[in-house]
């Protein structure tokens, strides 16, 4: 179900007005996302509406923790559905590259796609067991070699161009996805930070400002992820994905796809 979004024309209008009167505006930076309204506000999110900060995060954690878990093997077929190319139902869309590739080419060889954990497994050592290791809200289809290049790096801007993923960049400790995937990554990472709070026998996953987190249960950089959430709003692909994960597999939603403004409300 698509989110009804309030228009984002104010920055554009301000820039036009300033040009007309000869004023030079400073560079536009990310601003808080506009408030959104969804069909889930009176049902699924009813206990979170109107809250901010830790109260909002706690309420969302309780809501999205009601979740069915799947096996890591089952993730293969799930991604063939959640990441399906809307223009070619035989293919999936690959994260970081945007390439449309045959669903049948899943595996570990060059030219295949595999299961990318946007929240790297090593950042908390949760592996591929049912739970954070198989949570579809942060697992995406990805080219094998591009996935290897990303590895377990934190999120930041800059570096060298990534082969096979035009618009993506990487350096020794960070990865920057192409512009069309920046918001997707931010909302997946921050979903994980709300869903996994140290219960269920799993680590407390949290965002921070480091780009050298290694094996600790943190992922950075929060300030960059917040910018990406603003710069790349939820797409129809993300919204469909959220719906399919809830209705077919896990029964829970990524609240930041429905309400991207909640990122700023919490962090």
């Amino acid at each position: 179900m698509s989110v009804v979004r309030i228009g984002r024309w104010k920055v554009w209008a301000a820039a036009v007005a300033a040009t007309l009167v000869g004023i030079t505006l400073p560079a536009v930076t990310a601003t808080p996302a506009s408030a959104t309204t969804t069909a889930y506000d009176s049902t699924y999110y009813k206990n979170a509406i109107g809250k901010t900060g830790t109260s909002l995060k706690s309420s969302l954690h309780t809501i999205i923790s009601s979740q069915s878990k799947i096996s890591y093997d089952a993730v293969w077929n799930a991604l063939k559905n959640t990441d399906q190319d809307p223009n070619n139902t035989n293919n999936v869309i690959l994260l970081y590259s945007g390439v449309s590739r045959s669903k049948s080419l899943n595996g570990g060889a060059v030219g295949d796609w595999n299961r990318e954990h946007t929240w790297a497994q090593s950042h908390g050592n949760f592996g591929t067991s049912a739970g954070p290791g198989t949570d579809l809200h942060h697992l995406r289809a990805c080219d094998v070699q591009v996935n290897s290049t990303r590895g377990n790096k934190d999120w930041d801007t800059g570096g060298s161009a990534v082969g096979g993923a035009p618009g993506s960049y990487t350096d020794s400790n960070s990865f920057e996805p192409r512009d069309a995937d920046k918001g997707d990554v931010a909302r997946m990472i921050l979903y994980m930070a709300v869903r996994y709070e140290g219960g269920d026998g799993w680590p407390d996953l949290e965002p921070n400002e480091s780009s050298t987190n290694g094996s600790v249960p943190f992922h950075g950089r929060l300030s960059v992820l917040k910018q990406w959430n603003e710069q790349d709003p939820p797409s129809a692909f993300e919204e469909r994905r959220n719906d399919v994960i809830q209705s077919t597999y896990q029964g829970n939603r990524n609240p930041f796809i429905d309400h991207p403004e909640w990122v700023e409300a919490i962090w």
Side-chain angles (χ1 to χ4, degrees):
M1 184 174 294
S2 295
V3 175
V4 179
R5 307 194 179 284
I6 296 176
R8 299 174 176 228
W9 50 266
K10 293 184 178 179
V11 171
W12 173 84
V16 170
T19 299
L20 292 175
V21 298
I23 297 173
T24 300
L25 288 176
V28 175
T29 57
T31 56
S34 301
T36 59
T37 302
T38 81
Y40 298 98
D41 291 358
S42 62
T43 54
Y44 189 73
Y45 294 122
K46 65 180 180 180
N47 292 328
I49 299 300
K51 297 180 180 179
T52 61
T54 56
S55 294
L56 176 58
K57 188 182 182 194
S58 177
S59 292
L60 291 177
H61 169 72
T62 299
I63 292 167
I64 67 178
S65 292
S66 178
Q67 167 192 354
S68 298
K69 300 178 178 66
I70 67 174
S71 71
Y72 197 48
D73 283 342
V75 168
W76 284 121
N77 284 332
L79 291 180
K80 292 176 183 180
N81 187 1
T82 62
D83 293 16
Q84 180 174 285
D85 183 346
N87 298 314
N88 184 345
T89 58
N90 293 315
N91 288 8
V92 290
I93 297 294
L94 305 186
L95 187 65
Y96 310 141
S97 64
V99 168
S100 179
R101 186 166 296 170
S102 172
K103 291 178 178 179
S104 65
L105 292 175
N106 63 297
V110 174
D112 287 347
W113 61 268
N114 60 5
R115 298 159 290 186
E116 157 70 332
H117 293 76
T118 56
W119 189 291
Q121 299 171 44
S122 62
H123 290 235
N125 292 320
F126 50 73
T128 59
S129 299
T134 65
D135 195 315
L136 293 170
H137 282 299
H138 86 117
L139 282 160
R140 290 285 295 269
C142 182
D143 176 80
V144 167
Q145 291 176 290
V146 174
N147 193 353
S148 178
T149 298
R150 188 265 156 147
N152 69 345
K153 295 173 181 176
D154 286 285
W155 304 102
D156 205 349
T157 57
S160 302
V162 175
S168 296
Y169 300 89
T170 191
D171 58 23
S172 62
N173 55 25
S174 70
F175 192 93
E176 176 184 356
R178 68 191 185 114
D179 289 348
D181 288 332
K182 282 182 166 66
D184 305 51
V185 166
R187 289 179 282 275
M188 287 188 282
I189 292 294
L190 297 176
Y191 160 87
M192 293 292 281
V194 172
R195 170 59 185 88
Y196 298 98
E197 293 277 46
D200 303 346
W202 305 113
D204 181 4
L205 306 181
E206 295 294 341
N208 67 7
E209 281 301 310
S210 174
S211 57
T212 57
N213 279 302
S215 63
V216 294
F218 304 114
H219 242 310
R221 298 175 52 223
L222 175 59
S223 60
V224 173
L225 294 170
K226 289 173 63 177
Q227 291 173 7
W228 292 352
N229 175 59
E230 296 291 342
Q231 294 166 359
D232 175 34
S235 63
F237 181 88
E238 277 184 274
E239 291 169 354
R240 176 193 175 274
R241 198 172 191 280
N242 205 17
D243 291 342
V244 170
I245 291 172
Q246 181 193 29
S247 64
T248 306
Y249 300 102
Q250 296 185 179
N252 69 342
R253 300 183 67 79
N254 181 336
F256 302 118
I257 295 175
D258 294 324
H259 283 280
E261 76 277 9
W262 281 349
V263 170
E264 189 68 29
I266 293 174
W267 288 284

